[in-house]
Amino acid sequence: MKKLLIPFFVFCNICVLAQQKKLDSLLTVNANYNKEDSIKVVYLIRIFGQYTHLDNLNKVKEYSDKAIAIAKKLNQTYSLSYVYERLGLCYHGKAIYIQAIEAYKNGIAVAKNRNDKDAVAGFYLNLSALYGSIPDYNKSLEALQIALALYTELGDTDNLSSCYMNMGDIYNSVNNPVLAVTYINKALVIFKKFENGLHYGTAIAYKGIAYSYKISSDKDLASLHINPTERYNQCLSYLDSALKIAESAESANALIGPINKDIAAVYEMMENNTMALNYYKAALKTTPPESKEDYGNLLYAVGNFYYNTNDFSLSKNYLQKSLAIAKETGLLLLQKNSLEKLSAVFQKTKQYDSALIFYQQAIAIKDTIFNADKENEITRKQLQLDFSVKENDYKLAQQVSDGKLKQQELQIGFDKKIKIFLAFAMALTLIIGGLIFYDRRKTKKLNTVINEQKTELEKLGNVKDKIFSVVSHDMRAPVNSLISFIHILEEGNIPQQKLAMYSKELKQSLTHTSALMNNLLNWAASQMEGFKQVKEKLNVSVVVTEVTNSLQHHWQQKNISIVNNITQNIYIQADVNMTAAILRNLLSNAIKFSFKGAVVTITAEQDAGGCTILIQDKGTGMQPEQLAVFNSNNQQQTESKRGTANEKGTGLGLMLCKTFTQQMGGKITAHNNGEGSTFKILLPIT
């Protein structure tokens, strides 16, 4: 046996060295990090976790206290509950149950304070597992019921599976394997959904079902639809499946030793001592001593095996080791079992004094366990007594009340009349209040309608004022020019050169007036809801080509080139007339402010957000204040400037473009590109 244990101890030394190296690295990082924040708390948690692996409990307390102090100072309840969770798990894993319970309960208080139901449920789930190890099944079930209720409320099926698994373990421990299998199967259904079934939970569920079958009576097996003759084959089948998962899934590696122990126990029950010993040896190799509860139970099982095979020397050796771990960790059941078996070993070897001493110690442990049960029973009786006292108090109070009943009947009659009067008055008040409320609501609706009509009239008035302003200011001059030109023609004798000059100026003036009229009428119609858009699928390149052809005279007159770079496969969903008006005004604007011989470029891009049309010119650009007005959300007219050939502007064109674009669900912006202006129109494609 010594030869078998040497490689394991070498492995343990290597693990210790690796843990120490990791700890040294963490201590260095922590020393160099001087801020007291949540990151510092995480470093401290990792440090006391490493000290747990190295069994240095003084350092565990030192660094956990530091983490708790910083978390409290920062008032970070999440960090504080996380510290308590990790600290509880550290003590729990080392079977230091008093400190673990304290950490879990502190964590519950913090989590409840911030109403973190998930964290509260997690602490109760851990407490349930801890109480089951002691064992204190009443407290274990109580904690488990709280966790189960919270996880059910949260809809957390993952953690519900852990609750079901713990319930199965408890029912196995109290020798109710039928209920145990019921709950373990509930957990198994959930576990199989993770990692294709290769999961820690699946392995431990298989292990639990095997144990249930092992301890079942023939009647229990019949309830579980298992033939008693197949009991051990069923156990081995489940344990074999569990072992395969434990060996292949990293998350389940810690189960390899306990599963080997369970397989050995089954073979021992089958009286196949050779196979039993092989698996006990495998369990000793694969169960780390740091897992004190598992390791202590394994040592007891091996000691019991050697007792049954009459190797009392080895039996005593393993039983004494299991007893030491049981005393260290406070595992009462393991202490009792180890003491009883040691007493039996000394009796077999005719060392009756030692046998009696160990038997007395076992009886004392039994009394301790019994006294705990007795204390629970006393508590239940005290609760029953409290209820009886309260019930007697209630009956006495009822008898006293009967003496006052007649006096109260008269008072009740008077109170009834008062209540009827008050009810009538309240009903009348509610009716009057309802009428007042209805009248005020009706008045409010009328005021809303009047305000809407007022707003609409103001809007129409603004449109009218704008039309009058433009007509009086911009249209009077061209008409007067036309009248003057007709007078000159009537007088005759006009030189041909002057006639050509007058005609050219008059043509420009009337062209400007025509554009002004179109923009004015279109804008007025859009403001007065007289311009109804009809959206359809439009080929952007075709619309641009038609607009540029209609403006050919203007851009050719200034020797300007219009470059249409839009491909044929770009489409938008828009009104054709509104789109043409937008493009016509923007191209006219680009021609107007471009220098002779310049180039105006039109491009388009399409993506999921819509179609973006860019019109770029090489001209004078726009003033910052003009850009600010145009790019704002307000429908505000920009100030008109003369073009590079002294062309007049209407001031309505850009405002019309903005109005039409917004009505079609698009957006228009402008900016200076360094050589001129760029207008960007975004229109929907669906």
Side-chain angles (χ1 to χ4, degrees):
M1 182 58 67
K2 291 181 180 178
K3 292 181 180 178
L4 290 171
L5 291 176
I6 289 172
F8 176 74
F9 288 124
V10 171
F11 173 74
C12 288
N13 289 331
I14 294 172
C15 290
V16 168
L17 290 173
Q19 296 288 359
Q20 184 64 50
K21 186 176 180 181
K22 186 175 181 180
L23 174 62
D24 293 340
S25 176
L26 283 170
L27 289 171
T28 302
V29 172
N30 180 63
N32 294 330
Y33 192 85
N34 298 319
K35 292 182 180 179
E36 290 192 348
D37 55 11
S38 57
I39 297 176
K40 185 76 168 180
V41 173
V42 172
Y43 287 149
L44 293 170
I45 290 172
R46 291 178 178 174
I47 289 171
F48 73 68
Q50 287 301 117
Y51 275 122
T52 304
H53 294 311
L54 297 171
D55 288 328
N56 192 334
L57 299 180
N58 290 330
K59 289 295 183 179
V60 170
K61 186 176 187 311
E62 176 186 342
Y63 281 93
S64 63
D65 286 346
K66 289 179 180 179
I68 291 167
I70 294 174
K72 286 182 176 179
K73 181 180 178 181
L74 297 172
N75 197 26
Q76 291 183 347
T77 55
Y78 178 83
S79 295
L80 186 58
S81 65
Y82 183 63
V83 175
Y84 285 130
E85 178 193 359
R86 303 314 302 174
L87 182 60
L89 290 173
C90 287
Y91 284 131
H92 190 167
K94 291 295 181 181
I96 305 172
Y97 294 124
I98 294 176
Q99 288 91 329
I101 291 170
E102 181 184 3
Y104 288 149
K105 288 185 175 180
N106 286 334
I108 289 170
V110 174
K112 282 184 175 179
N113 189 45
R114 70 165 189 273
N115 196 29
D116 188 346
K117 294 181 180 179
D118 184 60
V120 173
F123 281 115
Y124 275 114
L125 183 59
N126 290 338
L127 268 177
S128 170
L130 185 151
Y131 284 129
S133 300
I134 293 176
D136 189 335
Y137 300 125
N138 289 331
K139 287 184 179 180
S140 181
L141 278 172
E142 179 184 346
L144 194 57
Q145 286 169 347
I146 297 172
L148 193 65
L150 288 170
Y151 283 132
T152 302
E153 180 184 347
L154 295 169
D156 188 344
T157 56
D158 295 354
N159 282 306
L160 277 175
S161 62
S162 298
C163 293
Y164 294 144
M165 194 64 231
N166 281 12
M167 291 186 78
D169 288 341
I170 290 171
Y171 282 118
N172 268 334
S173 299
V174 297
N175 203 30
N176 191 340
V178 176
L179 270 178
V181 170
T182 300
Y183 281 103
I184 293 172
N185 276 324
K186 283 178 177 285
L188 186 59
V189 170
I190 301 172
F191 288 143
K192 283 185 176 180
K193 295 178 182 178
F194 305 128
E195 303 171 20
N196 296 320
L198 299 176
H199 181 262
Y200 174 88
T202 310
I204 205 166
Y206 286 148
K207 181 177 180 293
I209 293 172
Y211 181 79
S212 299
Y213 290 163
K214 188 179 78 170
I215 67 172
S216 292
S217 65
D218 289 351
K219 183 179 178 181
D220 292 331
L221 290 171
S223 299
L224 294 170
H225 308 291
I226 300 294
N227 189 329
T229 61
E230 290 295 313
R231 175 205 308 268
Y232 299 128
N233 290 332
Q234 288 286 342
C235 290
L236 290 174
S237 175
Y238 275 102
L239 288 171
D240 184 58
S241 297
L243 186 60
K244 288 177 180 177
I245 294 172
E247 290 174 341
S248 60
E250 186 176 349
S251 62
N253 286 164
L255 293 174
I256 295 175
I259 294 171
N260 279 319
K261 167 184 157 294
D262 288 354
I263 294 174
V266 174
Y267 277 118
E268 188 176 355
M269 293 177 73
M270 296 171 68
E271 298 182 356
N272 188 339
N273 291 335
T274 302
M275 292 296 293
L277 181 58
N278 288 338
Y279 276 99
Y280 277 131
K281 289 178 179 179
L284 287 168
K285 284 183 180 180
T286 52
T287 304
E290 294 83 23
S291 302
K292 294 189 177 181
E293 183 178 352
D294 288 338
Y295 195 63
N297 287 323
L298 171 61
L299 292 172
Y300 171 78
V302 174
N304 185 62
F305 171 80
Y306 282 121
Y307 174 84
N308 292 332
T309 56
N310 297 319
D311 191 337
F312 301 119
S313 176
L314 283 175
S315 176
K316 181 176 69 172
N317 181 36
Y318 282 102
L319 290 171
Q320 286 175 336
K321 290 178 181 179
S322 70
L323 178 61
I325 292 176
K327 287 181 177 179
E328 178 188 353
T329 56
L331 294 170
L332 296 180
L333 193 59
L334 181 59
Q335 284 188 57
K336 178 187 79 70
N337 292 338
S338 299
L339 287 166
E340 286 179 342
K341 192 58 65 176
L342 278 168
S343 176
V345 168
F346 283 114
Q347 185 178 353
K348 287 284 186 180
T349 56
K350 299 182 180 182
Q351 300 178 58
Y352 299 112
D353 290 340
S354 297
L356 179 61
I357 292 171
F358 281 107
Y359 183 74
Q360 288 174 335
Q361 291 178 10
I363 293 297
I365 296 298
K366 275 186 179 180
D367 288 341
T368 302
I369 298 173
F370 171 76
N371 288 336
D373 292 338
K374 187 176 180 181
E375 183 180 350
N376 290 334
E377 183 63 28
I378 291 170
T379 301
R380 284 193 291 273
K381 288 182 178 179
Q382 285 177 335
L383 290 173
Q384 291 173 356
L385 181 62
D386 289 342
F387 178 78
S388 298
V389 170
K390 288 181 181 178
E391 185 178 22
N392 291 333
D393 289 343
Y394 172 76
K395 289 179 179 178
L396 180 62
Q398 186 65 39
Q399 291 173 358
V400 173
S401 299
D402 289 341
K404 301 178 181 178
L405 187 60
K406 291 183 180 179
Q407 295 178 357
Q408 291 178 351
E409 286 177 352
L410 295 174
Q411 184 67 34
I412 289 170
F414 177 75
D415 290 345
K416 186 176 181 181
K417 293 178 181 179
I418 295 294
K419 288 178 181 178
I420 292 172
F421 173 77
L422 290 175
F424 176 77
M426 185 177 293
L428 184 62
T429 303
L430 288 173
I431 292 171
I432 295 171
L435 291 172
I436 294 172
F437 175 76
Y438 175 77
D439 184 65
R440 292 189 65 181
R441 187 177 179 185
K442 186 176 179 181
T443 303
K444 186 176 180 181
K445 285 184 177 180
L446 288 173
N447 288 335
T448 302
V449 173
I450 291 170
N451 288 332
E452 289 176 354
Q453 291 176 345
K454 180 183 176 183
T455 302
E456 187 65 26
L457 288 172
E458 288 176 350
K459 184 177 179 182
L460 293 174
N462 291 334
V463 174
K464 178 200 68 176
D465 292 342
K466 173 61 69 177
I467 293 172
F468 284 158
S469 172
V470 173
V471 169
S472 63
H473 182 270
D474 290 300
M475 296 186 66
R476 182 182 297 171
V479 173
N480 288 337
S481 298
L482 180 59
I483 294 171
S484 299
F485 183 67
I486 293 172
H487 282 311
I488 292 172
L489 289 176
E490 288 177 346
E491 293 176 0
N493 298 324
I494 303 174
Q496 187 64 32
Q497 186 177 1
K498 284 189 176 183
L499 182 61
M501 182 183 67
Y502 292 153
S503 299
K504 181 179 179 182
E505 291 180 358
L506 184 60
K507 180 181 179 182
Q508 290 179 347
S509 179
L510 290 175
T511 300
H512 165 73
T513 304
S514 176
L516 174 62
M517 282 291 292
N518 286 332
N519 285 339
L520 182 61
L521 292 174
N522 286 333
W523 177 79
S526 69
Q527 296 299 302
M528 299 172 71
E529 299 182 358
F531 200 110
K532 302 296 182 182
Q533 57 174 306
V534 179
K535 286 192 175 184
E536 56 184 305
K537 188 175 182 181
L538 301 177
N539 187 312
V540 178
S541 179
V542 172
V543 178
V544 170
T545 301
E546 291 176 355
V547 172
T548 54
N549 289 340
S550 69
L551 297 173
Q552 184 174 4
H553 172 73
H554 297 285
W555 50 267
Q556 285 183 346
Q557 190 175 27
K558 291 184 72 171
N559 194 25
I560 290 173
S561 299
I562 305 292
V563 179
N564 180 3
N565 288 330
I566 302 175
T567 60
Q568 290 292 326
N569 59 347
I570 296 180
Y571 292 88
I572 58 173
Q573 197 73 18
D575 183 279
V576 64
N577 293 321
M578 295 173 83
T579 305
I582 294 168
L583 294 171
R584 188 181 302 109
N585 276 285
L586 292 179
L587 282 172
S588 296
N589 198 65
I591 294 167
K592 174 182 173 183
F593 291 105
S594 290
F595 297 105
K596 288 186 178 182
V599 176
V600 175
T601 306
I602 309 169
T603 58
E605 297 175 354
Q606 183 175 325
D607 54 28
C611 174
T612 302
I613 303 172
L614 298 174
I615 298 177
Q616 298 173 293
D617 65 59
K618 295 183 180 180
T620 59
M622 296 178 70
Q623 297 298 320
E625 56 272 14
Q626 289 178 303
L627 287 171
V629 170
F630 183 76
N631 291 328
S632 68
N633 293 326
N634 300 324
Q635 289 286 349
Q636 188 175 348
Q637 183 178 355
T638 56
E639 183 181 355
S640 177
K641 304 286 185 180
R642 287 187 176 270
T644 55
N646 204 33
E647 302 101 314
K648 292 176 63 178
T650 66
L652 286 173
L654 293 181
M655 187 165 65
L656 181 68
C657 293
K658 195 171 181 180
T659 300
F660 280 177
T661 303
Q662 290 174 351
Q663 287 183 357
M664 290 192 293
K667 184 179 180 181
I668 184 169
T669 55
H671 67 274
N672 290 329
N673 56 32
E675 295 179 315
S677 300
T678 298
F679 285 85
K680 180 179 179 181
I681 313 110
L682 176 63
L683 292 172
I685 58 176
T686 57

